[in-house]
Amino acid sequence: MIHDWQFDVPTAGSKHLPPDARYMEALSSQGYAFEVAVADLVDNSIDAGAKDVVIHFLRDGDQLVSLLVVDDGRGMGEEQLDIAMTVGGRRDYAPNALGMFGTGLKSASLSHASAVTVVSTTKRTRTAGRRWVMERAVSGFECDIVDPNYAQTLIDRYDNGRPILWEGTIVRWDGVKDFPKHGGAGQTDRYLHRTINKLGLHLGLHLHRFLKRDDFNITIAVEDVRTGTVYMNFGVEPLDPFGYPVSGSPAYPRRFTASLPSDADVTLEAHVWPPKSNVDEYKAVGSVMDRQGFYFYRHNRLVQAGGWNNLRQPEQHLSLARVAVDLPDHLGDVFRLTVKKAGVDASPEFTSAVESAVDPTGHTFLDYLNDADTVYREARKRSGTSRRPAIPPGKGFHPAVRETIEEELPAIPLEDPISVRWQKLDNEVFFELDRKDRSMVLNQHYRAAILGGRRGGLNDAPVLKSLMYILLHQAFEKEYSGSREKDNLQLWQSVLVSAARAELDRMVDDD
């Protein structure tokens, strides 16, 4: 029997339904991380053929005021500017372009700033500018035309090869939501140090193939507009996730071919990192579980750093396995790239193709996974460590502590991590265990003494919390404690309460 649902849905005409102006609010709520949003702007600079890109933080004394991304790429005339500032503006992307959807500039900028100004100049057109202010955008897609004199003044600020010589573009963010609002120079300096370090690592990783070229540079700088002082001026270094000094296995790297029935074949370049590596190219990518897996590139731009895309679950024993995959120009139905270019969705067709992938010698991709597993295990044996798996640490532990524990201690798979938090408890106890919530609770009463009067935070007291994890993690692997374990818990409780009270007394004496 043939059912109605097997046919196309019949229609009776159509009507034009333009987006509500509030669509701009939705566009700016894409969940861009700060460094991901800035990277999207740098992508545009690369598409414009830029050789030098400057990411410029402007501060006025203690206050951060603006962020500018300046490049010496092909500029835009007024017509091109209008297209660039139109949501989903139609433009002809080059075959190797990093842009795709026509939304990156607007969504990346307005997710972090209340206003974005774009000023551009070419060899043949006068300097022009456009500006989106969020308030005016949501009230009716009203884009401001920047005064030509101001636009030229802004360009002149970066001319004579700093980096603009004859043409280039400036993207300026004002009202940046992430900037500290108060707190003085100390807070601003801490924010800049933390943010610039994270931004440099992100750009160095995701654009490492471009940064390795002799003709492309990214500079991050801070300028105090009140004094004209420029500081924290440094070039972003490439961070190659496959930049090991020597392979973890002499049989690798190997190239496997994954045959996709609906598209061209995809090459999987499989690598095995050397065990116990401490170089940034290995450590800075993410946690042990995050950094293994596929590294997808689109037109030489890294768009996903790690993850197995439903092929398998991440495991401690596969922490040395990384696979470079250059996506085809036409993604077809097999791959879908997120708007933020921060991840790839792969269809089950890709997973099946990977499971069947082979290299020219007949070595399979599944053999590769076993090889990477063996290299890890053999390294453990040589170092004399055959440690019992444990439930990993989670929220409340400093990220560096979590990473080290994950490196050193095999994780029990599919177990929720152990969290740690401060809470009001009876002064006669230092800690409590919440097995149901899988958390260690520390007595808030002793927090100030433990921190020595310093300001607390989510990941504070890393030494104490690390020691507590070492003492107590095994208690969460059982539903209840035996008599010997209860005695140990009471012992640790008594000693820690005495030590915490001694710290409190010392604080009083110092005062």
Side-chain angles (χ1 to χ4, degrees), residues 21 29 31 74 121 178 215 330 356 369 373 393 395 397 408 418 420 444 497 506:
S29 302
R74 294 180 298 275
T121 190
D178 200 42
D215 63 347
H330 302 288
S356 304
L369 295 178
D373 184 298
K395 187 175 181 180
F397 291 93
E408 297 292 337
I418 299 168
V420 60
Q444 178 76 29
V497 167
R506 193 167 64 86

mmCIF file with all atom_site columns, all heavy atoms in Angstrom, residues 21 29 31 74 121 178 215 330 356 369 373 393 395 397 408 418 420 444 497 506:
data_model
loop_
_atom_site.group_PDB
_atom_site.id
_atom_site.type_symbol
_atom_site.label_atom_id
_atom_site.label_alt_id
_atom_site.label_comp_id
_atom_site.label_asym_id
_atom_site.label_entity_id
_atom_site.label_seq_id
_atom_site.pdbx_PDB_ins_code
_atom_site.Cartn_x
_atom_site.Cartn_y
_atom_site.Cartn_z
_atom_site.occupancy
_atom_site.B_iso_or_equiv
_atom_site.pdbx_formal_charge
_atom_site.auth_seq_id
_atom_site.auth_comp_id
_atom_site.auth_asym_id
_atom_site.auth_atom_id
_atom_site.pdbx_PDB_model_num
ATOM 1   N N   . ALA A 1 21  ? 13.962 42.248 12.940 1.00 0.00 ? 21  ALA A N   1
ATOM 2   C CA  . ALA A 1 21  ? 15.241 42.880 13.276 1.00 0.00 ? 21  ALA A CA  1
ATOM 3   C C   . ALA A 1 21  ? 15.907 42.218 14.479 1.00 0.00 ? 21  ALA A C   1
ATOM 4   O O   . ALA A 1 21  ? 17.125 42.270 14.636 1.00 0.00 ? 21  ALA A O   1
ATOM 5   C CB  . ALA A 1 21  ? 15.030 44.373 13.552 1.00 0.00 ? 21  ALA A CB  1
ATOM 6   N N   . SER A 1 29  ? 24.267 35.655 19.469 1.00 0.00 ? 29  SER A N   1
ATOM 7   C CA  . SER A 1 29  ? 24.211 34.730 20.609 1.00 0.00 ? 29  SER A CA  1
ATOM 8   C C   . SER A 1 29  ? 24.630 33.335 20.176 1.00 0.00 ? 29  SER A C   1
ATOM 9   O O   . SER A 1 29  ? 23.995 32.341 20.528 1.00 0.00 ? 29  SER A O   1
ATOM 10  C CB  . SER A 1 29  ? 22.794 34.712 21.195 1.00 0.00 ? 29  SER A CB  1
ATOM 11  O OG  . SER A 1 29  ? 22.392 36.003 21.596 1.00 0.00 ? 29  SER A OG  1
ATOM 12  N N   . GLY A 1 31  ? 27.424 31.876 20.975 1.00 0.00 ? 31  GLY A N   1
ATOM 13  C CA  . GLY A 1 31  ? 28.310 31.227 21.928 1.00 0.00 ? 31  GLY A CA  1
ATOM 14  C C   . GLY A 1 31  ? 29.777 31.288 21.540 1.00 0.00 ? 31  GLY A C   1
ATOM 15  O O   . GLY A 1 31  ? 30.557 30.393 21.879 1.00 0.00 ? 31  GLY A O   1
ATOM 16  N N   . ARG A 1 74  ? 43.792 43.171 0.761  1.00 0.00 ? 74  ARG A N   1
ATOM 17  C CA  . ARG A 1 74  ? 43.031 43.955 -0.215 1.00 0.00 ? 74  ARG A CA  1
ATOM 18  C C   . ARG A 1 74  ? 41.871 44.644 0.494  1.00 0.00 ? 74  ARG A C   1
ATOM 19  O O   . ARG A 1 74  ? 41.055 43.999 1.157  1.00 0.00 ? 74  ARG A O   1
ATOM 20  C CB  . ARG A 1 74  ? 42.489 43.047 -1.320 1.00 0.00 ? 74  ARG A CB  1
ATOM 21  C CG  . ARG A 1 74  ? 43.558 42.420 -2.196 1.00 0.00 ? 74  ARG A CG  1
ATOM 22  C CD  . ARG A 1 74  ? 42.923 41.547 -3.264 1.00 0.00 ? 74  ARG A CD  1
ATOM 23  N NE  . ARG A 1 74  ? 42.174 40.446 -2.665 1.00 0.00 ? 74  ARG A NE  1
ATOM 24  C CZ  . ARG A 1 74  ? 42.715 39.282 -2.285 1.00 0.00 ? 74  ARG A CZ  1
ATOM 25  N NH1 . ARG A 1 74  ? 44.007 39.097 -2.425 1.00 0.00 ? 74  ARG A NH1 1
ATOM 26  N NH2 . ARG A 1 74  ? 41.963 38.330 -1.761 1.00 0.00 ? 74  ARG A NH2 1
ATOM 27  N N   . THR A 1 121 ? 40.304 50.745 2.930  1.00 0.00 ? 121 THR A N   1
ATOM 28  C CA  . THR A 1 121 ? 40.797 51.592 1.843  1.00 0.00 ? 121 THR A CA  1
ATOM 29  C C   . THR A 1 121 ? 41.476 50.719 0.802  1.00 0.00 ? 121 THR A C   1
ATOM 30  O O   . THR A 1 121 ? 41.998 49.645 1.117  1.00 0.00 ? 121 THR A O   1
ATOM 31  C CB  . THR A 1 121 ? 41.798 52.643 2.371  1.00 0.00 ? 121 THR A CB  1
ATOM 32  O OG1 . THR A 1 121 ? 42.079 53.594 1.357  1.00 0.00 ? 121 THR A OG1 1
ATOM 33  C CG2 . THR A 1 121 ? 43.091 52.007 2.851  1.00 0.00 ? 121 THR A CG2 1
ATOM 34  N N   . ASP A 1 178 ? 33.662 41.636 27.453 1.00 0.00 ? 178 ASP A N   1
ATOM 35  C CA  . ASP A 1 178 ? 34.618 40.858 28.225 1.00 0.00 ? 178 ASP A CA  1
ATOM 36  C C   . ASP A 1 178 ? 35.625 41.727 28.973 1.00 0.00 ? 178 ASP A C   1
ATOM 37  O O   . ASP A 1 178 ? 36.305 41.259 29.883 1.00 0.00 ? 178 ASP A O   1
ATOM 38  C CB  . ASP A 1 178 ? 35.362 39.900 27.278 1.00 0.00 ? 178 ASP A CB  1
ATOM 39  C CG  . ASP A 1 178 ? 36.006 38.740 28.008 1.00 0.00 ? 178 ASP A CG  1
ATOM 40  O OD1 . ASP A 1 178 ? 35.367 38.192 28.907 1.00 0.00 ? 178 ASP A OD1 1
ATOM 41  O OD2 . ASP A 1 178 ? 37.157 38.381 27.677 1.00 0.00 ? 178 ASP A OD2 1
ATOM 42  N N   . ASP A 1 215 ? 55.673 34.674 4.663  1.00 0.00 ? 215 ASP A N   1
ATOM 43  C CA  . ASP A 1 215 ? 55.015 35.922 4.256  1.00 0.00 ? 215 ASP A CA  1
ATOM 44  C C   . ASP A 1 215 ? 53.736 36.202 5.044  1.00 0.00 ? 215 ASP A C   1
ATOM 45  O O   . ASP A 1 215 ? 52.867 36.951 4.574  1.00 0.00 ? 215 ASP A O   1
ATOM 46  C CB  . ASP A 1 215 ? 54.692 35.898 2.764  1.00 0.00 ? 215 ASP A CB  1
ATOM 47  C CG  . ASP A 1 215 ? 53.701 34.792 2.403  1.00 0.00 ? 215 ASP A CG  1
ATOM 48  O OD1 . ASP A 1 215 ? 53.467 33.898 3.247  1.00 0.00 ? 215 ASP A OD1 1
ATOM 49  O OD2 . ASP A 1 215 ? 53.157 34.823 1.281  1.00 0.00 ? 215 ASP A OD2 1
ATOM 50  N N   . HIS A 1 330 ? 34.357 20.589 -1.332 1.00 0.00 ? 330 HIS A N   1
ATOM 51  C CA  . HIS A 1 330 ? 32.895 20.503 -1.257 1.00 0.00 ? 330 HIS A CA  1
ATOM 52  C C   . HIS A 1 330 ? 32.544 19.481 -0.187 1.00 0.00 ? 330 HIS A C   1
ATOM 53  O O   . HIS A 1 330 ? 32.798 18.285 -0.349 1.00 0.00 ? 330 HIS A O   1
ATOM 54  C CB  . HIS A 1 330 ? 32.320 20.114 -2.620 1.00 0.00 ? 330 HIS A CB  1
ATOM 55  C CG  . HIS A 1 330 ? 32.682 21.061 -3.724 1.00 0.00 ? 330 HIS A CG  1
ATOM 56  N ND1 . HIS A 1 330 ? 32.137 22.330 -3.811 1.00 0.00 ? 330 HIS A ND1 1
ATOM 57  C CD2 . HIS A 1 330 ? 33.554 20.934 -4.752 1.00 0.00 ? 330 HIS A CD2 1
ATOM 58  C CE1 . HIS A 1 330 ? 32.649 22.948 -4.872 1.00 0.00 ? 330 HIS A CE1 1
ATOM 59  N NE2 . HIS A 1 330 ? 33.515 22.124 -5.450 1.00 0.00 ? 330 HIS A NE2 1
ATOM 60  N N   . SER A 1 356 ? 36.945 1.186  7.815  1.00 0.00 ? 356 SER A N   1
ATOM 61  C CA  . SER A 1 356 ? 37.402 0.334  6.709  1.00 0.00 ? 356 SER A CA  1
ATOM 62  C C   . SER A 1 356 ? 38.660 0.889  6.032  1.00 0.00 ? 356 SER A C   1
ATOM 63  O O   . SER A 1 356 ? 39.134 0.299  5.043  1.00 0.00 ? 356 SER A O   1
ATOM 64  C CB  . SER A 1 356 ? 36.291 0.188  5.661  1.00 0.00 ? 356 SER A CB  1
ATOM 65  O OG  . SER A 1 356 ? 35.105 -0.320 6.233  1.00 0.00 ? 356 SER A OG  1
ATOM 66  N N   . LEU A 1 369 ? 45.089 2.339  15.587 1.00 0.00 ? 369 LEU A N   1
ATOM 67  C CA  . LEU A 1 369 ? 44.633 2.597  16.950 1.00 0.00 ? 369 LEU A CA  1
ATOM 68  C C   . LEU A 1 369 ? 45.271 1.620  17.927 1.00 0.00 ? 369 LEU A C   1
ATOM 69  O O   . LEU A 1 369 ? 45.672 2.003  19.037 1.00 0.00 ? 369 LEU A O   1
ATOM 70  C CB  . LEU A 1 369 ? 43.104 2.502  17.018 1.00 0.00 ? 369 LEU A CB  1
ATOM 71  C CG  . LEU A 1 369 ? 42.319 3.548  16.209 1.00 0.00 ? 369 LEU A CG  1
ATOM 72  C CD1 . LEU A 1 369 ? 40.827 3.284  16.332 1.00 0.00 ? 369 LEU A CD1 1
ATOM 73  C CD2 . LEU A 1 369 ? 42.645 4.959  16.681 1.00 0.00 ? 369 LEU A CD2 1
ATOM 74  N N   . ASP A 1 373 ? 47.841 2.573  21.023 1.00 0.00 ? 373 ASP A N   1
ATOM 75  C CA  . ASP A 1 373 ? 47.563 2.021  22.353 1.00 0.00 ? 373 ASP A CA  1
ATOM 76  C C   . ASP A 1 373 ? 48.788 1.286  22.887 1.00 0.00 ? 373 ASP A C   1
ATOM 77  O O   . ASP A 1 373 ? 49.180 1.452  24.056 1.00 0.00 ? 373 ASP A O   1
ATOM 78  C CB  . ASP A 1 373 ? 46.362 1.084  22.254 1.00 0.00 ? 373 ASP A CB  1
ATOM 79  C CG  . ASP A 1 373 ? 45.920 0.522  23.593 1.00 0.00 ? 373 ASP A CG  1
ATOM 80  O OD1 . ASP A 1 373 ? 46.729 -0.191 24.225 1.00 0.00 ? 373 ASP A OD1 1
ATOM 81  O OD2 . ASP A 1 373 ? 44.776 0.770  24.000 1.00 0.00 ? 373 ASP A OD2 1
ATOM 82  N N   . PRO A 1 393 ? 39.527 13.845 38.564 1.00 0.00 ? 393 PRO A N   1
ATOM 83  C CA  . PRO A 1 393 ? 39.040 15.063 39.215 1.00 0.00 ? 393 PRO A CA  1
ATOM 84  C C   . PRO A 1 393 ? 38.240 15.912 38.244 1.00 0.00 ? 393 PRO A C   1
ATOM 85  O O   . PRO A 1 393 ? 38.429 15.827 37.021 1.00 0.00 ? 393 PRO A O   1
ATOM 86  C CB  . PRO A 1 393 ? 40.329 15.770 39.648 1.00 0.00 ? 393 PRO A CB  1
ATOM 87  C CG  . PRO A 1 393 ? 41.336 15.326 38.630 1.00 0.00 ? 393 PRO A CG  1
ATOM 88  C CD  . PRO A 1 393 ? 40.959 13.918 38.249 1.00 0.00 ? 393 PRO A CD  1
ATOM 89  N N   . LYS A 1 395 ? 35.244 19.546 38.523 1.00 0.00 ? 395 LYS A N   1
ATOM 90  C CA  . LYS A 1 395 ? 35.022 20.944 38.858 1.00 0.00 ? 395 LYS A CA  1
ATOM 91  C C   . LYS A 1 395 ? 35.613 21.293 40.224 1.00 0.00 ? 395 LYS A C   1
ATOM 92  O O   . LYS A 1 395 ? 35.458 20.541 41.181 1.00 0.00 ? 395 LYS A O   1
ATOM 93  C CB  . LYS A 1 395 ? 33.519 21.221 38.850 1.00 0.00 ? 395 LYS A CB  1
ATOM 94  C CG  . LYS A 1 395 ? 33.141 22.678 39.010 1.00 0.00 ? 395 LYS A CG  1
ATOM 95  C CD  . LYS A 1 395 ? 31.633 22.852 38.877 1.00 0.00 ? 395 LYS A CD  1
ATOM 96  C CE  . LYS A 1 395 ? 31.234 24.321 39.020 1.00 0.00 ? 395 LYS A CE  1
ATOM 97  N NZ  . LYS A 1 395 ? 29.764 24.491 38.898 1.00 0.00 ? 395 LYS A NZ  1
ATOM 98  N N   . PHE A 1 397 ? 38.879 21.734 40.786 1.00 0.00 ? 397 PHE A N   1
ATOM 99  C CA  . PHE A 1 397 ? 40.314 21.479 40.718 1.00 0.00 ? 397 PHE A CA  1
ATOM 100 C C   . PHE A 1 397 ? 40.918 22.353 39.620 1.00 0.00 ? 397 PHE A C   1
ATOM 101 O O   . PHE A 1 397 ? 40.319 22.529 38.557 1.00 0.00 ? 397 PHE A O   1
ATOM 102 C CB  . PHE A 1 397 ? 40.598 20.008 40.416 1.00 0.00 ? 397 PHE A CB  1
ATOM 103 C CG  . PHE A 1 397 ? 40.241 19.067 41.531 1.00 0.00 ? 397 PHE A CG  1
ATOM 104 C CD1 . PHE A 1 397 ? 38.994 18.464 41.578 1.00 0.00 ? 397 PHE A CD1 1
ATOM 105 C CD2 . PHE A 1 397 ? 41.150 18.781 42.535 1.00 0.00 ? 397 PHE A CD2 1
ATOM 106 C CE1 . PHE A 1 397 ? 38.652 17.591 42.596 1.00 0.00 ? 397 PHE A CE1 1
ATOM 107 C CE2 . PHE A 1 397 ? 40.824 17.904 43.558 1.00 0.00 ? 397 PHE A CE2 1
ATOM 108 C CZ  . PHE A 1 397 ? 39.572 17.317 43.605 1.00 0.00 ? 397 PHE A CZ  1
ATOM 109 N N   . GLU A 1 408 ? 48.911 11.148 34.479 1.00 0.00 ? 408 GLU A N   1
ATOM 110 C CA  . GLU A 1 408 ? 49.630 10.193 35.309 1.00 0.00 ? 408 GLU A CA  1
ATOM 111 C C   . GLU A 1 408 ? 48.796 9.009  35.766 1.00 0.00 ? 408 GLU A C   1
ATOM 112 O O   . GLU A 1 408 ? 49.341 7.954  36.107 1.00 0.00 ? 408 GLU A O   1
ATOM 113 C CB  . GLU A 1 408 ? 50.195 10.922 36.547 1.00 0.00 ? 408 GLU A CB  1
ATOM 114 C CG  . GLU A 1 408 ? 51.205 12.006 36.230 1.00 0.00 ? 408 GLU A CG  1
ATOM 115 C CD  . GLU A 1 408 ? 52.500 11.448 35.660 1.00 0.00 ? 408 GLU A CD  1
ATOM 116 O OE1 . GLU A 1 408 ? 52.789 10.262 35.904 1.00 0.00 ? 408 GLU A OE1 1
ATOM 117 O OE2 . GLU A 1 408 ? 53.212 12.187 34.959 1.00 0.00 ? 408 GLU A OE2 1
ATOM 118 N N   . ILE A 1 418 ? 35.121 13.615 40.074 1.00 0.00 ? 418 ILE A N   1
ATOM 119 C CA  . ILE A 1 418 ? 34.952 14.053 41.469 1.00 0.00 ? 418 ILE A CA  1
ATOM 120 C C   . ILE A 1 418 ? 35.123 15.567 41.513 1.00 0.00 ? 418 ILE A C   1
ATOM 121 O O   . ILE A 1 418 ? 36.131 16.105 41.045 1.00 0.00 ? 418 ILE A O   1
ATOM 122 C CB  . ILE A 1 418 ? 35.997 13.386 42.383 1.00 0.00 ? 418 ILE A CB  1
ATOM 123 C CG1 . ILE A 1 418 ? 35.841 11.861 42.356 1.00 0.00 ? 418 ILE A CG1 1
ATOM 124 C CG2 . ILE A 1 418 ? 35.877 13.916 43.809 1.00 0.00 ? 418 ILE A CG2 1
ATOM 125 C CD1 . ILE A 1 418 ? 37.005 11.126 42.992 1.00 0.00 ? 418 ILE A CD1 1
ATOM 126 N N   . VAL A 1 420 ? 35.019 19.309 43.838 1.00 0.00 ? 420 VAL A N   1
ATOM 127 C CA  . VAL A 1 420 ? 35.359 19.776 45.187 1.00 0.00 ? 420 VAL A CA  1
ATOM 128 C C   . VAL A 1 420 ? 34.798 21.179 45.366 1.00 0.00 ? 420 VAL A C   1
ATOM 129 O O   . VAL A 1 420 ? 34.820 21.991 44.442 1.00 0.00 ? 420 VAL A O   1
ATOM 130 C CB  . VAL A 1 420 ? 36.897 19.746 45.408 1.00 0.00 ? 420 VAL A CB  1
ATOM 131 C CG1 . VAL A 1 420 ? 37.619 20.632 44.411 1.00 0.00 ? 420 VAL A CG1 1
ATOM 132 C CG2 . VAL A 1 420 ? 37.242 20.153 46.841 1.00 0.00 ? 420 VAL A CG2 1
ATOM 133 N N   . GLN A 1 444 ? 34.095 25.684 54.873 1.00 0.00 ? 444 GLN A N   1
ATOM 134 C CA  . GLN A 1 444 ? 34.254 27.106 54.554 1.00 0.00 ? 444 GLN A CA  1
ATOM 135 C C   . GLN A 1 444 ? 34.913 27.882 55.695 1.00 0.00 ? 444 GLN A C   1
ATOM 136 O O   . GLN A 1 444 ? 35.607 28.876 55.472 1.00 0.00 ? 444 GLN A O   1
ATOM 137 C CB  . GLN A 1 444 ? 32.872 27.693 54.233 1.00 0.00 ? 444 GLN A CB  1
ATOM 138 C CG  . GLN A 1 444 ? 32.854 29.176 53.927 1.00 0.00 ? 444 GLN A CG  1
ATOM 139 C CD  . GLN A 1 444 ? 33.381 29.491 52.539 1.00 0.00 ? 444 GLN A CD  1
ATOM 140 O OE1 . GLN A 1 444 ? 33.257 28.671 51.637 1.00 0.00 ? 444 GLN A OE1 1
ATOM 141 N NE2 . GLN A 1 444 ? 33.970 30.653 52.373 1.00 0.00 ? 444 GLN A NE2 1
ATOM 142 N N   . VAL A 1 497 ? 41.761 19.060 60.886 1.00 0.00 ? 497 VAL A N   1
ATOM 143 C CA  . VAL A 1 497 ? 41.116 20.070 61.737 1.00 0.00 ? 497 VAL A CA  1
ATOM 144 C C   . VAL A 1 497 ? 42.162 20.753 62.611 1.00 0.00 ? 497 VAL A C   1
ATOM 145 O O   . VAL A 1 497 ? 42.178 21.981 62.758 1.00 0.00 ? 497 VAL A O   1
ATOM 146 C CB  . VAL A 1 497 ? 39.994 19.437 62.585 1.00 0.00 ? 497 VAL A CB  1
ATOM 147 C CG1 . VAL A 1 497 ? 39.549 20.404 63.688 1.00 0.00 ? 497 VAL A CG1 1
ATOM 148 C CG2 . VAL A 1 497 ? 38.803 19.077 61.720 1.00 0.00 ? 497 VAL A CG2 1
ATOM 149 N N   . ARG A 1 506 ? 47.533 31.232 63.686 1.00 0.00 ? 506 ARG A N   1
ATOM 150 C CA  . ARG A 1 506 ? 48.667 31.977 63.135 1.00 0.00 ? 506 ARG A CA  1
ATOM 151 C C   . ARG A 1 506 ? 48.201 33.267 62.482 1.00 0.00 ? 506 ARG A C   1
ATOM 152 O O   . ARG A 1 506 ? 48.873 34.309 62.579 1.00 0.00 ? 506 ARG A O   1
ATOM 153 C CB  . ARG A 1 506 ? 49.392 31.103 62.101 1.00 0.00 ? 506 ARG A CB  1
ATOM 154 C CG  . ARG A 1 506 ? 50.753 31.648 61.683 1.00 0.00 ? 506 ARG A CG  1
ATOM 155 C CD  . ARG A 1 506 ? 51.527 30.576 60.929 1.00 0.00 ? 506 ARG A CD  1
ATOM 156 N NE  . ARG A 1 506 ? 50.850 30.227 59.686 1.00 0.00 ? 506 ARG A NE  1
ATOM 157 C CZ  . ARG A 1 506 ? 51.043 30.917 58.535 1.00 0.00 ? 506 ARG A CZ  1
ATOM 158 N NH1 . ARG A 1 506 ? 51.829 31.973 58.526 1.00 0.00 ? 506 ARG A NH1 1
ATOM 159 N NH2 . ARG A 1 506 ? 50.436 30.525 57.446 1.00 0.00 ? 506 ARG A NH2 1
#
